[in-house]
Amino acid sequence: MIRWIKLVLFIGSLIPLGLLLWKFFGAHPSDMSTWGAGLGANPIEAITHTTGDWTLRFLLATLAITPARKLLHLPSLIKFRRMLGLFAFFYACLHFTTYIWLDKFFNLHEMLADVAKRKFITVGFTAFVLLIPLAVTSTAGWIRRLGGKRWQALHRLIYFSAIAGVIHYLWLVKADIRKPLEYGAVLAVLLGYRLLVWIQPVIKRRTESASQRRAEAVAQ
Ligand code: HEM
């Protein structure tokens, strides 16, 4: 069953790319003069936006797995987390490639100028770089090599990558900040859940020791 769901998830995760390619090549893929027409007046912008959006969506979906498996009592959801995380990285690679290849034509000088001039590029780049060690160490072999604790600590980098991704979006939009704020709100809920889980035992310990002190004071 899990294998079938994984297959469906894998195919489903490729649909945004499939649609992008479909729109790019159009109904006459052999006619180069029509390439990109299906993506509107600015095909490169359309590709950048679609791949950026999907990177963020997959990052949030990956982060949603832990709360979902706990709250819905579905521990097996963990089996899909790695795939979703790798798809986030896959779309981030496409997004980054669109920028360096289609947008900047590998012009390093222009890219460096862009990084200096447009701070949203620097944050986006940070978000991307943070995902690289996670993708590299996503295999069972790396979990064994690093040990569960260290692997988990390293994989907390995804929180910072997602935060940087939302800031990247927030800083690049000119007027309507509704969409980045929506992504930000979802991220806040997902990170807030983790904060609650982390803080709960601390609060419990404090209440327990306070009531123990009170009981001792009453007994004296
Ligand atoms: C994890 C990493 C990243 C995430 C999550 C991300 C996400 C996004 C999102 C959501 C958008 C807007 C999409 C929309 O308007 O619907 C976007 C746009 C964009 N991103 Fe990224 N991005 C990342 C990394 C990068 C990197 C590394 C670069 C280049 C160095 C980059 C360059 C751009 C550019 C040029 C735009 C379009 C800006 C414009 O419309 O003026 N992004 N990105």
Side-chain angles (χ1 to χ4, degrees):
M1 178 70 170
I2 294 283
R3 270 174 64 186
W4 285 107
I5 301 177
K6 270 190 176 177
L7 184 67
V8 171
L9 189 63
F10 183 83
I11 295 169
S13 301
L14 285 172
I15 289 177
L17 174 64
L19 285 176
L20 204 55
L21 291 173
W22 174 261
K23 284 187 193 160
F24 183 83
F25 291 111
H28 309 284
S30 55
D31 182 2
M32 270 178 79
S33 66
T34 63
W35 285 4
L39 287 172
N42 192 339
I44 297 174
E45 197 179 284
I47 298 171
T48 312
H49 286 197
T50 307
T51 49
D53 262 333
W54 281 101
T55 305
L56 209 43
R57 285 174 191 154
F58 275 105
L59 275 178
L60 296 179
T62 311
L63 284 170
I65 291 286
T66 297
R69 64 192 286 258
K70 295 269 163 62
L71 299 173
L72 304 173
H73 305 288
L74 286 171
S76 54
L77 283 179
I78 195 74
K79 296 202 163 77
F80 311 113
R81 192 172 63 179
R82 177 168 172 255
M83 193 195 288
L84 290 173
L86 285 174
F87 267 111
F89 184 64
F90 173 68
Y91 279 99
C93 287
L94 293 179
H95 186 60
F96 186 48
T97 309
T98 310
Y99 173 77
I100 58 171
W101 182 17
L102 302 180
D103 199 4
K104 299 292 166 202
F105 294 105
F106 301 104
N107 185 332
L108 193 64
H109 184 72
E110 217 180 291
M111 281 189 267
L112 288 177
D114 222 12
V115 169
K117 204 173 66 199
R118 305 205 280 177
K119 57 183 181 168
F120 82 84
I121 293 282
T122 321
V123 190
F125 189 68
T126 309
F128 177 64
V129 169
L130 289 175
L131 288 179
I132 297 172
L134 307 191
V136 171
T137 61
S138 68
T139 59
W142 269 103
I143 301 177
R144 235 187 356 261
R145 239 168 281 163
L146 288 173
K149 279 255 157 64
R150 262 193 293 173
W151 186 88
Q152 260 184 340
L154 176 71
H155 279 248
R156 288 204 183 101
L157 283 180
I158 192 174
Y159 305 157
F160 301 100
S161 178
I163 293 170
V166 169
I167 296 175
H168 167 69
Y169 195 2
L170 204 56
W171 282 354
L172 74 85
V173 290
K174 271 114 202 158
D176 190 355
I177 57 166
R178 264 177 306 177
K179 253 181 87 183
L181 284 185
E182 276 165 24
Y183 281 120
V186 174
L187 180 62
V189 170
L190 296 173
L191 296 184
Y193 168 85
R194 285 163 170 87
L195 191 67
L196 271 180
V197 168
W198 178 72
I199 220 161
Q200 240 173 8
V202 180
I203 296 174
K204 202 171 157 210
R205 264 201 309 277
R206 288 211 175 152
T207 352
E208 272 169 9
S209 61
S211 48
Q212 200 181 342
R213 271 201 305 275
R214 231 175 291 131
E216 280 166 8
V218 169
Q220 274 171 9

